[in-house]
Amino acid sequence: MQQALEIMAPAGSFESLAAALRAGADSVYFGVGMFNMRARSSVNFTTEDLPKVARLCHACGAKAYLTCNVIIYDEEVEAMQELLRQAKAAGIDAVIAADLAVITYAHSIGLEVHISVQANVCNLSAVKFFAAYADVMVLARELKLSQIRTIIDGIRQENITGPSGKQVRIEIFAHGALCIGISGKCGMSLAAYNHSANRGECFQLCRRKYRVTDTETGFEMDIDNQYIMSPKDICTIRVIDQLVEAGVAVYKLEGRGRSEAYVSTVTAVYKEAVTDCAAGKWSPEKVAAWEERLLHVFNRQFWHGGYYLGEEWETWSGCSNSLALEQRHHLGRIMRWYPKVQVADIRLEAHPLSPGDKIEITGPTTGIVRLTVQEVRCDDENGVTQVVPSVPKGGHALVAVPEKVRHGDKVYLVTRRKLK
């Protein structure tokens, strides 16, 4: 029997958490403090946030997963254990881990464990070993689809169960940034800056340009792609039907450092895709439309299917940052939303606003609201509200916003990106 299909979305803030939940995420993963793979970045929650994160997820019928997937040193064991105890007390559904110190302790206190990609699970024997501790396992990103299918078939045939008593579920990376390292393991940042990627401190040296020089002659090698270690993002939309057919249960979307727009779009697209696959409604025409939507948010171009199809690396990304078709610029903030007429008062802090402009409104409770401005109004010097062709920077624009937004929500102007 086909297991329920789960879309697991990233959350690096309450804004992106709300965006993920509004887009239909079945689960959300996030980090706290130094024990996760985004420890160096600002996309982390605090221990005080744990109850709120769990409450928001559960109110939407979604699960909350804490990432604790770095390697742990002896002097950190006590702090790690305290974090897991707080997560369990807060109602967090599971911890994603690779270090056995984390795995065994979480298991001992009854906190569900999901094995991280950093554990590099590549075969059925590894699944059997970790099944003593975990109900979900992320397979290594380097496996072929045929190998994934063999592992899932083996789980079914041998009825390999986790601590819950249910069959082990298999998770794969479905979309987002890929690393030059094996399943995320890399030593470049440690060697260059004494900051380990395996401790959540990656400086992403692979995303930079490099010049190769012959040290004896000084001759510089001509490399046709300047970003020779920066791979394209994985995108499995074209093969999602094959992954569903193979029995993959959980589809992880990478991007805790991405915007609310990215989280919302990617979550919604993959939710639609797996739902259609399960209902037998997947089609090439839908794939084309889904890919078009994905291109509008952060991407380094796409490697369609990744290693799963057994293909060699496609050309490198050719960039260090995003090639999204759209970009956003800070526009202003919501001052008030009038529910009876569904109109928002926007204070324009950085740009003017005119009919036809595309805007995004984001906030920790709002998540993200997108719309194209149909009409702008403002009050004249006598306090009379009038329709105007544009409201200048520094003014207050009254705009129809059909969904509830809140005081202090950020407003962005969305424009077409000019790509070279």
mmCIF file of all heavy atoms in Angstrom, residues 174-224:
data_model
loop_
_atom_site.group_PDB
_atom_site.id
_atom_site.type_symbol
_atom_site.label_atom_id
_atom_site.label_comp_id
_atom_site.label_asym_id
_atom_site.label_seq_id
_atom_site.Cartn_x
_atom_site.Cartn_y
_atom_site.Cartn_z
ATOM 1 N N ALA A 174 14.449 16.564 -2.978
ATOM 2 C CA ALA A 174 13.660 16.729 -4.198
ATOM 3 C C ALA A 174 13.992 18.007 -4.953
ATOM 4 O O ALA A 174 13.853 18.058 -6.179
ATOM 5 C CB ALA A 174 12.175 16.707 -3.869
ATOM 6 N N HIS A 175 14.421 19.045 -4.241
ATOM 7 C CA HIS A 175 14.620 20.331 -4.917
ATOM 8 C C HIS A 175 15.560 21.219 -4.103
ATOM 9 O O HIS A 175 15.504 21.244 -2.873
ATOM 10 C CB HIS A 175 13.287 21.066 -5.077
ATOM 11 C CG HIS A 175 13.376 22.276 -5.952
ATOM 12 N ND1 HIS A 175 13.151 22.233 -7.315
ATOM 13 C CD2 HIS A 175 13.684 23.567 -5.670
ATOM 14 C CE1 HIS A 175 13.310 23.448 -7.822
ATOM 15 N NE2 HIS A 175 13.635 24.270 -6.842
ATOM 16 N N GLY A 176 16.431 21.936 -4.820
ATOM 17 C CA GLY A 176 17.247 22.946 -4.168
ATOM 18 C C GLY A 176 18.732 22.792 -4.425
ATOM 19 O O GLY A 176 19.166 22.037 -5.304
ATOM 20 N N ALA A 177 19.508 23.510 -3.649
ATOM 21 C CA ALA A 177 20.946 23.595 -3.861
ATOM 22 C C ALA A 177 21.642 22.259 -3.656
ATOM 23 O O ALA A 177 21.354 21.523 -2.712
ATOM 24 C CB ALA A 177 21.544 24.640 -2.925
ATOM 25 N N LEU A 178 22.571 21.952 -4.558
ATOM 26 C CA LEU A 178 23.445 20.796 -4.424
ATOM 27 C C LEU A 178 24.847 21.257 -4.055
ATOM 28 O O LEU A 178 25.248 22.375 -4.366
ATOM 29 C CB LEU A 178 23.503 20.008 -5.732
ATOM 30 C CG LEU A 178 22.309 19.112 -6.062
ATOM 31 C CD1 LEU A 178 22.513 18.485 -7.437
ATOM 32 C CD2 LEU A 178 22.130 18.035 -5.005
ATOM 33 N N CYS A 179 25.578 20.371 -3.415
ATOM 34 C CA CYS A 179 26.928 20.679 -2.952
ATOM 35 C C CYS A 179 27.923 19.808 -3.691
ATOM 36 O O CYS A 179 27.617 18.678 -4.074
ATOM 37 C CB CYS A 179 26.980 20.422 -1.438
ATOM 38 S SG CYS A 179 28.623 20.569 -0.713
ATOM 39 N N ILE A 180 29.127 20.320 -3.888
ATOM 40 C CA ILE A 180 30.185 19.553 -4.536
ATOM 41 C C ILE A 180 30.608 18.374 -3.663
ATOM 42 O O ILE A 180 31.115 17.369 -4.152
ATOM 43 C CB ILE A 180 31.402 20.462 -4.836
ATOM 44 C CG1 ILE A 180 32.443 19.740 -5.704
ATOM 45 C CG2 ILE A 180 32.031 20.967 -3.558
ATOM 46 C CD1 ILE A 180 31.970 19.428 -7.084
ATOM 47 N N GLY A 181 30.354 18.461 -2.355
ATOM 48 C CA GLY A 181 30.717 17.392 -1.434
ATOM 49 C C GLY A 181 29.769 16.201 -1.543
ATOM 50 O O GLY A 181 28.686 16.289 -2.105
ATOM 51 N N ILE A 182 30.178 15.077 -0.989
ATOM 52 C CA ILE A 182 29.351 13.878 -0.986
ATOM 53 C C ILE A 182 28.287 14.005 0.095
ATOM 54 O O ILE A 182 28.596 14.061 1.286
ATOM 55 C CB ILE A 182 30.214 12.618 -0.741
ATOM 56 C CG1 ILE A 182 31.242 12.450 -1.851
ATOM 57 C CG2 ILE A 182 29.326 11.387 -0.626
ATOM 58 C CD1 ILE A 182 30.649 12.231 -3.224
ATOM 59 N N SER A 183 27.023 14.052 -0.326
ATOM 60 C CA SER A 183 25.892 14.206 0.601
ATOM 61 C C SER A 183 26.137 15.303 1.635
ATOM 62 O O SER A 183 25.828 15.164 2.813
ATOM 63 C CB SER A 183 25.582 12.870 1.285
ATOM 64 O OG SER A 183 24.895 12.024 0.412
ATOM 65 N N GLY A 184 26.748 16.373 1.169
ATOM 66 C CA GLY A 184 26.943 17.527 2.044
ATOM 67 C C GLY A 184 28.246 17.533 2.811
ATOM 68 O O GLY A 184 28.557 18.505 3.504
ATOM 69 N N LYS A 185 29.037 16.463 2.720
ATOM 70 C CA LYS A 185 30.303 16.412 3.450
ATOM 71 C C LYS A 185 31.397 17.066 2.614
ATOM 72 O O LYS A 185 31.676 16.640 1.504
ATOM 73 C CB LYS A 185 30.687 14.965 3.764
ATOM 74 C CG LYS A 185 29.731 14.233 4.674
ATOM 75 C CD LYS A 185 30.369 12.920 5.105
ATOM 76 C CE LYS A 185 29.441 12.128 5.995
ATOM 77 N NZ LYS A 185 28.420 11.406 5.232
ATOM 78 N N CYS A 186 32.031 18.092 3.163
ATOM 79 C CA CYS A 186 33.052 18.823 2.422
ATOM 80 C C CYS A 186 34.045 19.443 3.402
ATOM 81 O O CYS A 186 33.665 19.865 4.494
ATOM 82 C CB CYS A 186 32.404 19.909 1.566
ATOM 83 S SG CYS A 186 33.578 20.869 0.589
ATOM 84 N N GLY A 187 35.319 19.500 2.984
ATOM 85 C CA GLY A 187 36.349 20.054 3.864
ATOM 86 C C GLY A 187 36.945 21.365 3.395
ATOM 87 O O GLY A 187 37.879 21.877 4.006
ATOM 88 N N MET A 188 36.417 21.941 2.307
ATOM 89 C CA MET A 188 37.015 23.155 1.759
ATOM 90 C C MET A 188 36.984 24.321 2.745
ATOM 91 O O MET A 188 37.969 25.031 2.928
ATOM 92 C CB MET A 188 36.304 23.561 0.471
ATOM 93 C CG MET A 188 36.593 22.678 -0.716
ATOM 94 S SD MET A 188 35.806 23.302 -2.218
ATOM 95 C CE MET A 188 36.760 24.816 -2.493
ATOM 96 N N SER A 189 35.826 24.526 3.352
ATOM 97 C CA SER A 189 35.681 25.655 4.264
ATOM 98 C C SER A 189 36.553 25.481 5.506
ATOM 99 O O SER A 189 37.119 26.447 6.021
ATOM 100 C CB SER A 189 34.211 25.804 4.665
ATOM 101 O OG SER A 189 33.985 27.043 5.284
ATOM 102 N N LEU A 190 36.667 24.248 5.973
ATOM 103 C CA LEU A 190 37.526 23.969 7.128
ATOM 104 C C LEU A 190 38.982 24.245 6.787
ATOM 105 O O LEU A 190 39.713 24.857 7.574
ATOM 106 C CB LEU A 190 37.346 22.514 7.563
ATOM 107 C CG LEU A 190 38.195 22.057 8.754
ATOM 108 C CD1 LEU A 190 37.803 22.813 10.012
ATOM 109 C CD2 LEU A 190 38.050 20.548 8.968
ATOM 110 N N ALA A 191 39.405 23.814 5.605
ATOM 111 C CA ALA A 191 40.795 24.009 5.205
ATOM 112 C C ALA A 191 41.139 25.482 5.009
ATOM 113 O O ALA A 191 42.230 25.935 5.367
ATOM 114 C CB ALA A 191 41.068 23.238 3.910
ATOM 115 N N ALA A 192 40.216 26.242 4.451
ATOM 116 C CA ALA A 192 40.495 27.640 4.122
ATOM 117 C C ALA A 192 40.283 28.593 5.290
ATOM 118 O O ALA A 192 41.038 29.558 5.462
ATOM 119 C CB ALA A 192 39.623 28.071 2.943
ATOM 120 N N TYR A 193 39.250 28.332 6.114
ATOM 121 C CA TYR A 193 38.866 29.287 7.145
ATOM 122 C C TYR A 193 38.765 28.687 8.550
ATOM 123 O O TYR A 193 38.395 29.389 9.491
ATOM 124 C CB TYR A 193 37.514 29.918 6.803
ATOM 125 C CG TYR A 193 37.543 30.788 5.569
ATOM 126 C CD1 TYR A 193 36.907 30.374 4.392
ATOM 127 C CD2 TYR A 193 38.199 32.015 5.562
ATOM 128 C CE1 TYR A 193 36.923 31.154 3.252
ATOM 129 C CE2 TYR A 193 38.212 32.803 4.428
ATOM 130 C CZ TYR A 193 37.577 32.378 3.279
ATOM 131 O OH TYR A 193 37.599 33.165 2.154
ATOM 132 N N ASN A 194 39.071 27.396 8.661
ATOM 133 C CA ASN A 194 38.920 26.699 9.943
ATOM 134 C C ASN A 194 37.471 26.750 10.431
ATOM 135 O O ASN A 194 37.201 26.815 11.629
ATOM 136 C CB ASN A 194 39.860 27.274 11.012
ATOM 137 C CG ASN A 194 40.045 26.309 12.176
ATOM 138 O OD1 ASN A 194 39.974 25.088 11.994
ATOM 139 N ND2 ASN A 194 40.268 26.841 13.372
ATOM 140 N N HIS A 195 36.552 26.737 9.496
ATOM 141 C CA HIS A 195 35.124 26.670 9.792
ATOM 142 C C HIS A 195 34.553 25.491 9.005
ATOM 143 O O HIS A 195 34.533 25.521 7.779
ATOM 144 C CB HIS A 195 34.414 27.969 9.399
ATOM 145 C CG HIS A 195 34.675 29.096 10.350
ATOM 146 N ND1 HIS A 195 33.871 29.359 11.428
ATOM 147 C CD2 HIS A 195 35.668 30.024 10.380
ATOM 148 C CE1 HIS A 195 34.343 30.410 12.094
ATOM 149 N NE2 HIS A 195 35.432 30.832 11.476
ATOM 150 N N SER A 196 34.078 24.490 9.696
ATOM 151 C CA SER A 196 33.680 23.249 9.050
ATOM 152 C C SER A 196 32.247 23.290 8.522
ATOM 153 O O SER A 196 31.316 23.668 9.236
ATOM 154 C CB SER A 196 33.811 22.076 10.035
ATOM 155 O OG SER A 196 33.280 20.896 9.474
ATOM 156 N N ALA A 197 32.079 22.836 7.271
ATOM 157 C CA ALA A 197 30.739 22.686 6.712
ATOM 158 C C ALA A 197 29.953 21.655 7.498
ATOM 159 O O ALA A 197 28.725 21.738 7.595
ATOM 160 C CB ALA A 197 30.835 22.269 5.249
ATOM 161 N N ASN A 198 30.642 20.697 8.071
ATOM 162 C CA ASN A 198 29.969 19.651 8.835
ATOM 163 C C ASN A 198 29.579 20.111 10.241
ATOM 164 O O ASN A 198 29.025 19.330 11.024
ATOM 165 C CB ASN A 198 30.862 18.412 8.912
ATOM 166 C CG ASN A 198 31.233 17.906 7.535
ATOM 167 O OD1 ASN A 198 30.367 17.622 6.722
ATOM 168 N ND2 ASN A 198 32.521 17.848 7.253
ATOM 169 N N ARG A 199 29.861 21.387 10.502
ATOM 170 C CA ARG A 199 29.435 22.012 11.749
ATOM 171 C C ARG A 199 28.490 23.175 11.455
ATOM 172 O O ARG A 199 28.253 24.031 12.302
ATOM 173 C CB ARG A 199 30.661 22.531 12.509
ATOM 174 C CG ARG A 199 31.630 21.434 12.929
ATOM 175 C CD ARG A 199 31.221 20.804 14.237
ATOM 176 N NE ARG A 199 31.291 21.794 15.292
ATOM 177 C CZ ARG A 199 30.705 21.670 16.474
ATOM 178 N NH1 ARG A 199 29.974 20.605 16.735
ATOM 179 N NH2 ARG A 199 30.818 22.599 17.398
ATOM 180 N N GLY A 200 27.984 23.225 10.222
ATOM 181 C CA GLY A 200 27.044 24.277 9.856
ATOM 182 C C GLY A 200 27.686 25.621 9.607
ATOM 183 O O GLY A 200 27.019 26.652 9.691
ATOM 184 N N GLU A 201 28.986 25.630 9.262
ATOM 185 C CA GLU A 201 29.714 26.890 9.118
ATOM 186 C C GLU A 201 30.299 27.069 7.718
ATOM 187 O O GLU A 201 31.318 27.722 7.553
ATOM 188 C CB GLU A 201 30.831 26.966 10.166
ATOM 189 C CG GLU A 201 30.327 26.921 11.601
ATOM 190 C CD GLU A 201 31.443 26.922 12.628
ATOM 191 O OE1 GLU A 201 32.589 26.579 12.250
ATOM 192 O OE2 GLU A 201 31.179 27.283 13.782
ATOM 193 N N CYS A 202 29.664 26.499 6.726
ATOM 194 C CA CYS A 202 30.205 26.539 5.365
ATOM 195 C C CYS A 202 30.262 27.966 4.816
ATOM 196 O O CYS A 202 29.299 28.720 4.911
ATOM 197 C CB CYS A 202 29.354 25.666 4.452
ATOM 198 S SG CYS A 202 29.988 25.593 2.765
ATOM 199 N N PHE A 203 31.404 28.321 4.218
ATOM 200 C CA PHE A 203 31.576 29.616 3.575
ATOM 201 C C PHE A 203 31.284 29.548 2.069
ATOM 202 O O PHE A 203 31.466 30.513 1.362
ATOM 203 C CB PHE A 203 32.998 30.141 3.793
ATOM 204 C CG PHE A 203 33.179 30.870 5.098
ATOM 205 C CD1 PHE A 203 33.219 30.164 6.296
ATOM 206 C CD2 PHE A 203 33.302 32.242 5.138
ATOM 207 C CE1 PHE A 203 33.390 30.824 7.506
ATOM 208 C CE2 PHE A 203 33.472 32.920 6.348
ATOM 209 C CZ PHE A 203 33.512 32.205 7.538
ATOM 210 N N GLN A 204 30.875 28.387 1.600
ATOM 211 C CA GLN A 204 30.502 28.167 0.202
ATOM 212 C C GLN A 204 31.598 28.594 -0.779
ATOM 213 O O GLN A 204 31.356 29.331 -1.737
ATOM 214 C CB GLN A 204 29.183 28.863 -0.116
ATOM 215 C CG GLN A 204 28.012 28.311 0.688
ATOM 216 C CD GLN A 204 26.662 28.708 0.131
ATOM 217 O OE1 GLN A 204 26.552 29.641 -0.664
ATOM 218 N NE2 GLN A 204 25.627 28.003 0.543
ATOM 219 N N LEU A 205 32.803 28.107 -0.536
ATOM 220 C CA LEU A 205 33.905 28.407 -1.445
ATOM 221 C C LEU A 205 33.661 27.848 -2.835
ATOM 222 O O LEU A 205 34.180 28.361 -3.831
ATOM 223 C CB LEU A 205 35.223 27.823 -0.897
ATOM 224 C CG LEU A 205 35.949 28.638 0.176
ATOM 225 C CD1 LEU A 205 35.262 28.478 1.526
ATOM 226 C CD2 LEU A 205 37.405 28.210 0.283
ATOM 227 N N CYS A 206 32.843 26.811 -2.918
ATOM 228 C CA CYS A 206 32.581 26.192 -4.221
ATOM 229 C C CYS A 206 31.771 27.102 -5.128
ATOM 230 O O CYS A 206 31.702 26.860 -6.351
ATOM 231 C CB CYS A 206 31.858 24.871 -4.031
ATOM 232 S SG CYS A 206 30.281 25.022 -3.156
ATOM 233 N N ARG A 207 31.159 28.130 -4.599
ATOM 234 C CA ARG A 207 30.333 29.029 -5.409
ATOM 235 C C ARG A 207 31.149 30.176 -6.017
ATOM 236 O O ARG A 207 30.595 31.062 -6.659
ATOM 237 C CB ARG A 207 29.203 29.615 -4.561
ATOM 238 C CG ARG A 207 28.318 28.600 -3.869
ATOM 239 C CD ARG A 207 27.561 27.727 -4.833
ATOM 240 N NE ARG A 207 26.667 26.797 -4.139
ATOM 241 C CZ ARG A 207 26.045 25.781 -4.733
ATOM 242 N NH1 ARG A 207 26.219 25.558 -6.018
ATOM 243 N NH2 ARG A 207 25.249 24.992 -4.030
ATOM 244 N N ARG A 208 32.458 30.147 -5.827
ATOM 245 C CA ARG A 208 33.298 31.258 -6.292
ATOM 246 C C ARG A 208 33.969 30.945 -7.628
ATOM 247 O O ARG A 208 34.020 29.800 -8.066
ATOM 248 C CB ARG A 208 34.376 31.572 -5.257
ATOM 249 C CG ARG A 208 33.833 31.942 -3.891
ATOM 250 C CD ARG A 208 34.965 32.185 -2.916
ATOM 251 N NE ARG A 208 34.469 32.456 -1.562
ATOM 252 C CZ ARG A 208 35.254 32.645 -0.512
ATOM 253 N NH1 ARG A 208 36.570 32.604 -0.651
ATOM 254 N NH2 ARG A 208 34.728 32.883 0.676
ATOM 255 N N LYS A 209 34.525 31.985 -8.242
ATOM 256 C CA LYS A 209 35.338 31.818 -9.442
ATOM 257 C C LYS A 209 36.751 31.395 -9.033
ATOM 258 O O LYS A 209 37.277 31.843 -8.010
ATOM 259 C CB LYS A 209 35.432 33.132 -10.219
ATOM 260 C CG LYS A 209 34.116 33.675 -10.735
ATOM 261 C CD LYS A 209 34.363 34.993 -11.459
ATOM 262 C CE LYS A 209 33.062 35.599 -11.951
ATOM 263 N NZ LYS A 209 33.283 36.901 -12.639
ATOM 264 N N TYR A 210 37.384 30.559 -9.869
ATOM 265 C CA TYR A 210 38.764 30.153 -9.606
ATOM 266 C C TYR A 210 39.575 30.191 -10.898
ATOM 267 O O TYR A 210 39.055 29.929 -11.983
ATOM 268 C CB TYR A 210 38.806 28.742 -9.002
ATOM 269 C CG TYR A 210 38.370 28.706 -7.553
ATOM 270 C CD1 TYR A 210 37.041 28.498 -7.213
ATOM 271 C CD2 TYR A 210 39.278 28.914 -6.523
ATOM 272 C CE1 TYR A 210 36.633 28.490 -5.890
ATOM 273 C CE2 TYR A 210 38.886 28.905 -5.199
ATOM 274 C CZ TYR A 210 37.554 28.685 -4.886
ATOM 275 O OH TYR A 210 37.159 28.681 -3.582
ATOM 276 N N ARG A 211 40.854 30.514 -10.739
ATOM 277 C CA ARG A 211 41.783 30.519 -11.858
ATOM 278 C C ARG A 211 42.862 29.482 -11.577
ATOM 279 O O ARG A 211 43.443 29.459 -10.499
ATOM 280 C CB ARG A 211 42.405 31.909 -12.033
ATOM 281 C CG ARG A 211 43.376 32.019 -13.184
ATOM 282 C CD ARG A 211 43.878 33.453 -13.346
ATOM 283 N NE ARG A 211 42.784 34.341 -13.742
ATOM 284 C CZ ARG A 211 42.421 35.421 -13.035
ATOM 285 N NH1 ARG A 211 43.066 35.736 -11.935
ATOM 286 N NH2 ARG A 211 41.430 36.172 -13.453
ATOM 287 N N VAL A 212 43.134 28.611 -12.550
ATOM 288 C CA VAL A 212 44.149 27.568 -12.386
ATOM 289 C C VAL A 212 45.452 28.044 -13.016
ATOM 290 O O VAL A 212 45.488 28.414 -14.189
ATOM 291 C CB VAL A 212 43.690 26.248 -13.039
ATOM 292 C CG1 VAL A 212 44.755 25.178 -12.868
ATOM 293 C CG2 VAL A 212 42.378 25.785 -12.420
ATOM 294 N N THR A 213 46.514 28.039 -12.212
ATOM 295 C CA THR A 213 47.799 28.560 -12.660
ATOM 296 C C THR A 213 48.890 27.491 -12.556
ATOM 297 O O THR A 213 48.983 26.788 -11.552
ATOM 298 C CB THR A 213 48.214 29.780 -11.808
ATOM 299 O OG1 THR A 213 47.182 30.759 -11.862
ATOM 300 C CG2 THR A 213 49.525 30.385 -12.306
ATOM 301 N N ASP A 214 49.702 27.367 -13.595
ATOM 302 C CA ASP A 214 50.882 26.511 -13.562
ATOM 303 C C ASP A 214 51.942 27.240 -12.743
ATOM 304 O O ASP A 214 52.446 28.290 -13.148
ATOM 305 C CB ASP A 214 51.366 26.265 -14.992
ATOM 306 C CG ASP A 214 52.538 25.307 -15.055
ATOM 307 O OD1 ASP A 214 53.337 25.274 -14.101
ATOM 308 O OD2 ASP A 214 52.649 24.592 -16.064
ATOM 309 N N THR A 215 52.286 26.696 -11.569
ATOM 310 C CA THR A 215 53.204 27.403 -10.660
ATOM 311 C C THR A 215 54.627 27.479 -11.196
ATOM 312 O O THR A 215 55.411 28.334 -10.771
ATOM 313 C CB THR A 215 53.212 26.728 -9.281
ATOM 314 O OG1 THR A 215 53.578 25.352 -9.426
ATOM 315 C CG2 THR A 215 51.844 26.827 -8.606
ATOM 316 N N GLU A 216 55.006 26.596 -12.132
ATOM 317 C CA GLU A 216 56.369 26.641 -12.670
ATOM 318 C C GLU A 216 56.511 27.710 -13.744
ATOM 319 O O GLU A 216 57.523 28.399 -13.813
ATOM 320 C CB GLU A 216 56.749 25.275 -13.241
ATOM 321 C CG GLU A 216 56.924 24.196 -12.179
ATOM 322 C CD GLU A 216 57.518 22.927 -12.771
ATOM 323 O OE1 GLU A 216 57.945 22.956 -13.941
ATOM 324 O OE2 GLU A 216 57.541 21.908 -12.054
ATOM 325 N N THR A 217 55.489 27.851 -14.588
ATOM 326 C CA THR A 217 55.601 28.798 -15.708
ATOM 327 C C THR A 217 54.755 30.050 -15.524
ATOM 328 O O THR A 217 54.952 31.045 -16.212
ATOM 329 C CB THR A 217 55.166 28.120 -17.021
ATOM 330 O OG1 THR A 217 53.762 27.806 -16.934
ATOM 331 C CG2 THR A 217 55.957 26.832 -17.262
ATOM 332 N N GLY A 218 53.810 29.987 -14.608
ATOM 333 C CA GLY A 218 52.895 31.112 -14.430
ATOM 334 C C GLY A 218 51.762 31.110 -15.431
ATOM 335 O O GLY A 218 50.921 32.020 -15.425
ATOM 336 N N PHE A 219 51.700 30.092 -16.302
ATOM 337 C CA PHE A 219 50.644 30.017 -17.315
ATOM 338 C C PHE A 219 49.301 29.772 -16.650
ATOM 339 O O PHE A 219 49.163 28.884 -15.810
ATOM 340 C CB PHE A 219 50.955 28.881 -18.292
ATOM 341 C CG PHE A 219 49.881 28.671 -19.323
ATOM 342 C CD1 PHE A 219 49.704 29.578 -20.359
ATOM 343 C CD2 PHE A 219 49.030 27.571 -19.244
ATOM 344 C CE1 PHE A 219 48.712 29.386 -21.304
ATOM 345 C CE2 PHE A 219 48.036 27.380 -20.193
ATOM 346 C CZ PHE A 219 47.883 28.283 -21.236
ATOM 347 N N GLU A 220 48.311 30.578 -17.021
ATOM 348 C CA GLU A 220 46.968 30.449 -16.470
ATOM 349 C C GLU A 220 46.096 29.638 -17.420
ATOM 350 O O GLU A 220 45.974 29.954 -18.599
ATOM 351 C CB GLU A 220 46.346 31.829 -16.231
ATOM 352 C CG GLU A 220 47.068 32.601 -15.131
ATOM 353 C CD GLU A 220 46.439 33.950 -14.858
ATOM 354 O OE1 GLU A 220 45.542 34.338 -15.631
ATOM 355 O OE2 GLU A 220 46.826 34.595 -13.884
ATOM 356 N N MET A 221 45.515 28.578 -16.872
ATOM 357 C CA MET A 221 44.672 27.695 -17.670
ATOM 358 C C MET A 221 43.355 28.395 -18.013
ATOM 359 O O MET A 221 42.757 29.061 -17.182
ATOM 360 C CB MET A 221 44.364 26.406 -16.898
ATOM 361 C CG MET A 221 45.596 25.669 -16.393
ATOM 362 S SD MET A 221 46.544 24.959 -17.745
ATOM 363 C CE MET A 221 47.793 24.049 -16.791
ATOM 364 N N ASP A 222 42.917 28.216 -19.234
ATOM 365 C CA ASP A 222 41.657 28.793 -19.677
ATOM 366 C C ASP A 222 40.532 27.823 -19.357
ATOM 367 O O ASP A 222 40.438 26.741 -19.936
ATOM 368 C CB ASP A 222 41.708 29.059 -21.178
ATOM 369 C CG ASP A 222 40.449 29.733 -21.688
ATOM 370 O OD1 ASP A 222 39.717 30.294 -20.852
ATOM 371 O OD2 ASP A 222 40.207 29.695 -22.900
ATOM 372 N N ILE A 223 39.660 28.201 -18.402
ATOM 373 C CA ILE A 223 38.534 27.363 -17.995
ATOM 374 C C ILE A 223 37.269 27.986 -18.552
ATOM 375 O O ILE A 223 36.972 29.156 -18.297
ATOM 376 C CB ILE A 223 38.457 27.252 -16.460
ATOM 377 C CG1 ILE A 223 39.745 26.613 -15.927
ATOM 378 C CG2 ILE A 223 37.245 26.438 -16.030
ATOM 379 C CD1 ILE A 223 39.837 26.600 -14.430
ATOM 380 N N ASP A 224 36.502 27.193 -19.324
ATOM 381 C CA ASP A 224 35.367 27.794 -20.028
ATOM 382 C C ASP A 224 34.193 28.135 -19.127
ATOM 383 O O ASP A 224 33.342 28.920 -19.487
ATOM 384 C CB ASP A 224 34.911 26.903 -21.189
ATOM 385 C CG ASP A 224 34.420 25.534 -20.724
ATOM 386 O OD1 ASP A 224 34.483 25.285 -19.507
ATOM 387 O OD2 ASP A 224 33.982 24.741 -21.569
#
